[in-house]
Amino acid sequence: MGAVSGMPTTEPTSTEDIAHPATYARAVPHAEFERRRREEPVGWVPEPALWRHSSAGRIQQRGSGFWAVTTHEAVMEVSRQPEVFSSARRGAFLHDPRTPADLDFMRQLLVNMDAPQHVRIRRIVTSVFTPRAVRSLADTVTRHARELVDGVLQRDTFDAVTDLAAELPLLVLADLLGLPRGDRHLLYRWSNNLVGFDDPEYGGGDVEVYRQTFAEAFQYALAVAVRRRAAPRDDLISLLATAEVDGRRLTDREFCQFWMLLVVAGNETTRHLISGALHLLLHDEQLRRRWLGGPLPTATAVDEFLRVVTPIMQFRRTATRDTTLAGTKIAEGDKVVMFYVSANRDAGIFADPHRVDLERTPNPHLSFGMGPHFCLGAHLARMETAALLDAVAPHLPRLATTGPVVRLESNFVNGIKVMPVGWT
Ligand code: HEM
């Protein structure tokens, strides 16, 4: 996709290297997470050197290293103390900001804020994502899901990721943001470039592709904002473009960052949940029979898919003071990474954690995070996934993979890029 498409961005790695994006292109290293939960629930991880490209050439960058938090209890402990484990200090992403300007830019994004700013900005959009507001979208979401499935029924073979799993969240996002549906492919490309930064096929570790993607997406967003300020509509962009916080509108940059967060968070994550769920159903005959055997509350099953897939595998915090976590001393300024993907398979909380139990209740998985940054789109993501799985269900017995599944090279999202399927 970018100028360096196909160029390897990373060095080879061992299967235990939980920091390396290439590890996850093979599989999530569950055995290593299990060992860590048992032996070092909060353990230090040196970061690998990763190749980055820019017009200045090719350089290797290495992060500061971090504490990997892998048990359910310790992840909860971090999430519940935002004043000790900050999102704003160095951002919520594993990747370290390189310069003060980088950090400044990042901090305009909701996930990278702390109270009180975080509370003020988050309040602007909470009304759009309440259970009641999301329920009002149910008919449209169901219709989109059925139309997508009707579409692929006309074809012998198709790609379960691009033609189904990616399409539904993009259509819903276009509706929610009030964009022409035809523009949804722009959103797809932008979020692939950003979230797939380390993947040779998408961002390719190319800093220019990254910058260019932001520039293009921001330019698009600002043009829409100008139109909506002149003539507001009943959509999320109008809300963001006209909202006032402390008596002033969001600056253009704040507006663009918020829009970008919704574009990325609203489509990548749900895509990977849906494709992860389909992958499990297509590769596990017993599971497929259980899904089709009914009666089964779809909502309970969707939460189990959320647990075992864990579309966002980790988020990062930074210690604001010296502290202790699960008996381990953490120093002020240390990077602390909460591995939801590990906490969700903690045998102390989930019986037989590697088994997919579609009736599992209670299911206190941490896939949407927890605490003040708890995912705003949780109800919407659950609804979209349930709608798509329900629409596919009658046809599931005839659906089979027809080629190799290709995973995303990312240590952030647990993603499948390609899943060729066909009707038998
Ligand atoms: C399966 C789908 C999804 C998963 C697994 C997921 C996961 C998460 C997680 C783990 C966080 C916490 C971030 C942190 O603690 O730093 C988060 C935050 C967020 N999510 Fe989601 N998400 C999903 C879908 C969505 C959707 C559909 C939207 C919107 C349309 C959305 C919007 C957001 C926003 C705006 C935040 C930031 C909240 C804040 O910082 O206060 N998410 N999400």
Side-chain angles (χ1 to χ4, degrees):
M1 186 161 279
V4 290
S5 181
M7 187 185 273
T9 58
T10 51
E11 299 286 285
T13 169
S14 81
T15 49
E16 289 85 38
D17 190 345
I18 63 168
H20 207 300
T23 301
Y24 299 85
R26 298 182 195 130
V28 176
H30 283 299
E32 170 60 9
F33 282 123
E34 197 163 335
R35 184 198 68 73
R36 286 182 169 271
R37 289 195 295 276
R38 202 174 48 242
E39 294 174 11
E40 43 173 350
V42 178
W44 185 255
V45 177
E47 286 183 69
L50 300 176
W51 285 110
R52 302 296 182 227
H53 319 267
S54 73
S55 48
R58 194 165 181 247
I59 51 156
Q60 280 204 321
Q61 281 181 355
R62 189 189 290 280
S64 62
F66 58 84
W67 293 105
V69 183
T70 48
T71 59
H72 194 275
E73 191 183 348
V75 170
M76 299 265 283
E77 207 177 323
V78 173
S79 310
R80 283 185 173 141
Q81 301 180 78
E83 62 297 338
V84 182
F85 298 103
S86 158
S87 296
R89 188 144 164 170
R90 303 283 290 161
F93 299 105
L94 189 59
H95 175 71
D96 295 304
R98 290 278 140 199
T99 61
D102 261 8
L103 181 60
D104 231 39
F105 181 74
M106 281 172 67
R107 280 184 176 154
Q108 288 165 15
L109 192 67
L110 187 69
V111 275
N112 301 322
M113 293 177 190
D114 286 337
Q117 190 197 12
H118 173 251
V119 179
R120 287 201 301 268
I121 303 285
R122 183 173 161 116
R123 205 178 285 144
I124 299 175
V125 293
T126 41
S127 63
V128 178
F129 293 103
T130 60
R132 182 200 277 204
V134 170
R135 270 199 301 276
S136 73
L137 303 171
D139 288 348
T140 324
V141 173
T142 308
R143 200 181 57 244
H144 282 318
R146 288 196 184 137
E147 284 173 5
L148 285 172
V149 173
D150 285 348
V152 294
L153 280 170
Q154 312 301 317
R155 298 160 57 182
D156 294 337
T157 57
F158 61 96
D159 189 288
V161 180
T162 41
D163 298 322
L164 282 182
E167 279 291 82
L168 182 63
L170 286 170
L171 285 165
V172 173
L173 204 57
D175 289 351
L176 206 62
L177 293 170
L179 304 177
R181 288 191 184 146
D183 285 0
R184 68 186 185 281
H185 298 297
L186 293 173
L187 312 185
Y188 181 72
R189 182 159 58 81
W190 294 332
S191 69
N192 279 352
N193 283 356
L194 299 183
V195 174
F197 177 66
D198 287 308
D199 191 286
E201 198 188 336
Y202 295 145
D206 188 332
V207 181
E208 305 297 343
V209 172
Y210 196 77
R211 285 198 193 119
Q212 185 60 33
T213 302
F214 265 109
E216 210 185 296
F218 279 17
Q219 199 180 8
Y220 178 101
L222 282 177
V224 185
V226 169
R227 292 202 296 274
R228 292 299 193 279
R229 278 179 191 139
R233 290 197 208 156
D234 184 21
D235 61 36
L236 195 44
I237 296 211
S238 304
L239 184 70
L240 287 179
T242 56
E244 291 201 354
V245 181
D246 301 336
R248 67 157 179 91
R249 277 193 179 160
L250 296 183
T251 62
D252 281 352
R253 241 203 195 172
E254 286 168 337
F255 166 83
C256 285
Q257 289 278 34
F258 212 138
W259 130 274
M260 204 63 207
L261 177 63
L262 292 168
V263 164
V264 174
N267 97 73
E268 281 280 340
T269 51
T270 314
R271 177 200 317 171
H272 298 311
L273 174 59
I274 294 172
S275 48
L278 285 173
H279 184 249
L280 286 165
L281 287 167
L282 292 179
H283 288 84
D284 182 337
E285 190 47 41
Q286 230 183 336
L287 191 68
R288 190 192 320 216
R289 276 207 298 274
R290 180 65 202 93
W291 174 263
L292 295 171
L296 188 68
T298 309
T300 311
V302 167
D303 266 276
E304 180 67 344
F305 286 130
L306 271 159
R307 183 185 74 83
V308 286
V309 175
T310 316
I312 294 199
M313 294 186 288
Q314 46 83 8
F315 261 114
R316 170 251 181 97
R317 302 291 187 257
T318 304
T320 57
R321 57 171 166 81
D322 293 354
T323 186
T324 305
L325 181 66
T328 302
K329 286 201 161 102
I330 311 273
E332 182 192 347
D334 280 357
K335 177 162 27 169
V336 174
V337 180
M338 300 174 287
F339 280 93
Y340 306 125
V341 72
S342 172
N344 280 348
R345 294 193 183 215
D346 187 331
I349 303 291
F350 304 99
D352 205 356
H354 299 296
R355 193 170 85 85
V356 187
D357 174 2
L358 297 179
E359 287 153 283
R360 192 183 289 273
T361 41
N363 190 342
H365 66 75
L366 297 174
S367 294
F368 290 123
M370 86 115 43
H373 289 273
F374 182 81
C375 176
L376 273 167
H379 302 298
L380 185 59
R382 284 186 169 113
M383 179 200 273
E384 289 179 27
T385 307
L388 196 82
L389 292 179
D390 279 343
V392 173
H395 314 286
L396 205 52
R398 292 199 301 118
L399 191 63
T401 42
T402 55
V405 164
V406 184
R407 290 179 50 80
L408 185 71
E409 190 166 316
S410 167
N411 52 18
F412 179 49
V413 297
N414 183 11
I416 297 175
K417 285 193 298 190
V418 179
M419 186 164 35
V421 290
W423 305 110
T424 57

